[in-house]
Amino acid sequence: MWDSYLYFESESTTKAFLQQTYEECCIPKANVYAFQNASKFIYYIKQARQYYSSASHSDILVRPLLLYYGMVSLLKAYVLTRDPDYPSNTRVLQHGVTSRKMKKSYYSFAEDEVRVQKEGLLPYLYSFLNKDGLNEKYRLQNLLAVIPELQPAYQRLYKQITMTSVSLSSHRNFEQLCTIFYLPEFVLDEVHLTYDAFIHYLNRYNKGKASFAASVIEAPRGIIRLEWHHPENIHVTENGDGFENTLFTHDYKGNFSFKIKMDKAHTIPEVVTHYMIMYVLGMLCRYETERWGEIVFSFMSEDMYMIQEFLTLSARKFPNLVYNLLLKERYIFRIE
């Protein structure tokens, strides 16, 4: 995956990429901005690569901090593609989030909270990704609940199901030009809706050209059968934005999941979710060194299981998420 970022470490290709991106955003003097920002963009990417490389060889005592600053460098590169004058002031260089510096005597990572500030990198980044506003604060367990790869660990640790796998039909329906997919029937009970009402519920969260429809063919017992329609793509796997719906997400292997539990934490982009969680972990190992050591090395903490799962996943997935944002496509890097 990081080899793909080499495309952005060449001045000529970076200039061309930035100019095209600025032109697509209708930014005046796109060629001038591309020339001015090429070196800055390249150094953001190179710095991020070094942070992630160092994190992969570092002890867990300091790894979250390295991963967090690697995230910051990647996000600054993305923001630069949307705002050629970034940073226009020192306020946008702040973290944009905060957490309680001094933790309580009894500390639970899942119950900790991250608060969103009015200014800084996070709210500024979010303004380019989502029209909906951010909450003032988020509980970490709710953020962990919306990362698909963590769902097995989440269910095991917290005894809750917040996502379920989507089964896609490989068959392409050329008569109706749609994708057939299946969900477990229990999702209807979870959202307290009938089958027809569930179709309307799905369509409320569309954010593109796609739409959902009921299937005329009855599904086997225990599952429900649905149709996904798109004017330009027959199969959802061919669409760069997937289902184009807030209720659906996908893991880094391209497998789709449906979000059963819906709240504000479920509507934010996954890059924002990773950023918030990693910020708290970075602050723990930076300012709460003794407590962080107890979490890492104590057999008494159940937090370490989820933290380790998240650190491993985020180191692999976050650069992939930003790469997708930069190129406006859904790229899947498979490990052979």
Side-chain angles (χ1 to χ4, degrees):
M1 177 182 54
W2 277 107
D3 289 345
S4 298
Y5 271 99
L6 290 172
Y7 175 83
F8 297 120
E9 295 186 21
S10 163
E11 191 168 339
S12 59
T13 55
T14 297
K15 283 180 182 177
F17 167 74
L18 289 176
Q19 181 171 341
Q20 180 182 348
T21 303
Y22 291 150
E23 288 173 351
E24 290 173 354
C25 295
C26 300
I27 295 173
K29 300 184 290 185
N31 60 329
V32 176
Y33 277 123
F35 177 80
Q36 292 176 349
N37 290 334
S39 295
K40 186 190 296 184
F41 184 90
I42 290 171
Y43 283 124
Y44 282 149
I45 298 297
K46 290 179 72 69
Q47 187 178 57
R49 179 195 293 273
Q50 288 303 313
Y51 273 127
Y52 274 89
S53 177
S54 297
S56 68
H57 298 96
S58 70
D59 190 89
I60 195 170
L61 276 173
V62 296
R63 193 182 310 149
L65 200 58
L66 293 169
L67 289 174
Y68 173 73
Y69 282 109
M71 284 182 172
V72 169
S73 295
L74 286 176
L75 292 179
K76 284 181 177 179
Y78 171 73
V79 170
L80 189 63
T81 66
R82 295 298 177 268
D83 176 8
D85 291 317
Y86 178 82
S88 56
N89 58 68
T90 56
R91 295 187 301 276
V92 296
L93 294 174
Q94 299 169 6
H95 297 291
V97 287
T98 185
S99 64
R100 190 185 298 110
K101 290 293 189 296
M102 295 300 293
K103 306 300 181 184
K104 298 178 181 178
S105 56
Y106 165 76
Y107 177 74
S108 169
F109 176 70
E111 295 175 5
D112 202 354
E113 293 178 341
V114 58
R115 294 179 177 271
V116 179
Q117 297 177 316
K118 292 183 178 180
E119 296 180 310
L121 177 59
L122 178 66
Y124 196 55
L125 163 75
Y126 192 81
S127 68
F128 298 112
L129 300 177
N130 202 320
K131 295 179 181 179
D132 299 326
L134 281 165
N135 275 12
E136 181 184 345
K137 61 183 178 181
Y138 291 88
R139 186 165 170 255
L140 291 189
Q141 184 173 331
N142 294 338
L143 295 175
L144 293 165
V146 294
I147 301 177
E149 294 89 345
L150 296 182
Q151 191 62 201
Y154 188 93
Q155 293 179 21
R156 195 174 298 123
L157 192 60
Y158 305 125
K159 313 302 180 187
Q160 296 178 18
I161 301 175
T162 58
M163 287 186 183
T164 187
S165 298
V166 176
S167 297
L168 294 177
S169 172
S170 58
H171 171 69
R172 284 165 169 74
N173 191 330
F174 290 100
E175 294 181 359
Q176 297 182 355
L177 301 179
C178 68
T179 298
I180 305 297
F181 69 98
Y182 304 87
L183 288 173
E185 194 173 22
F186 75 81
V187 300
L188 299 180
D189 296 328
E190 292 290 337
V191 295
H192 309 293
L193 294 171
T194 64
Y195 176 76
D196 290 332
F198 182 65
I199 301 296
H200 292 291
Y201 171 71
L202 292 179
N203 283 318
R204 288 211 310 268
Y205 290 93
N206 288 333
K207 55 180 182 179
K209 300 177 181 179
S211 63
F212 297 87
S215 174
V216 296
I217 302 175
E218 188 175 347
R221 187 174 181 180
I223 61 175
I224 55 175
R225 190 176 191 269
L226 306 106
E227 297 178 358
W228 178 82
H229 295 258
H230 195 283
E232 298 166 6
N233 298 288
I234 298 175
H235 205 271
V236 67
T237 55
E238 300 168 353
N239 189 34
D241 292 328
F243 278 98
E244 296 185 356
N245 186 285
T246 308
L247 295 170
F248 293 84
T249 188
H250 62 87
D251 61 20
Y252 65 77
K253 295 180 181 179
N255 302 313
F256 289 99
S257 293
F258 172 74
K259 302 173 185 177
I260 300 172
K261 305 291 184 182
M262 196 63 186
D263 60 26
K264 269 290 187 178
H266 288 63
T267 63
I268 60 179
E270 193 173 339
V271 287
V272 175
T273 302
H274 281 247
Y275 180 88
M276 288 180 174
I277 298 171
M278 196 67 77
Y279 171 83
V280 174
L281 290 173
M283 294 301 101
L284 267 173
C285 72
R286 184 177 181 181
Y287 294 111
E288 297 280 345
T289 309
E290 183 179 359
R291 188 178 301 278
W292 177 238
E294 291 173 353
I295 293 173
V296 171
F297 298 113
S298 173
F299 294 111
M300 303 298 292
S301 174
E302 67 176 17
D303 291 327
M304 195 53 217
Y305 173 52
M306 182 58 76
I307 289 172
Q308 185 67 66
E309 290 281 315
F310 172 74
L311 290 175
T312 302
L313 168 68
S314 189
R316 164 65 179 80
K317 191 177 185 182
F318 190 85
N320 197 162
L321 293 172
V322 176
Y323 188 79
N324 292 350
L325 284 176
L326 289 170
L327 296 183
K328 302 176 185 176
E329 287 285 349
R330 188 167 57 95
Y331 287 88
I332 299 169
F333 296 92
R334 300 190 186 276
I335 300 175
E336 301 296 337

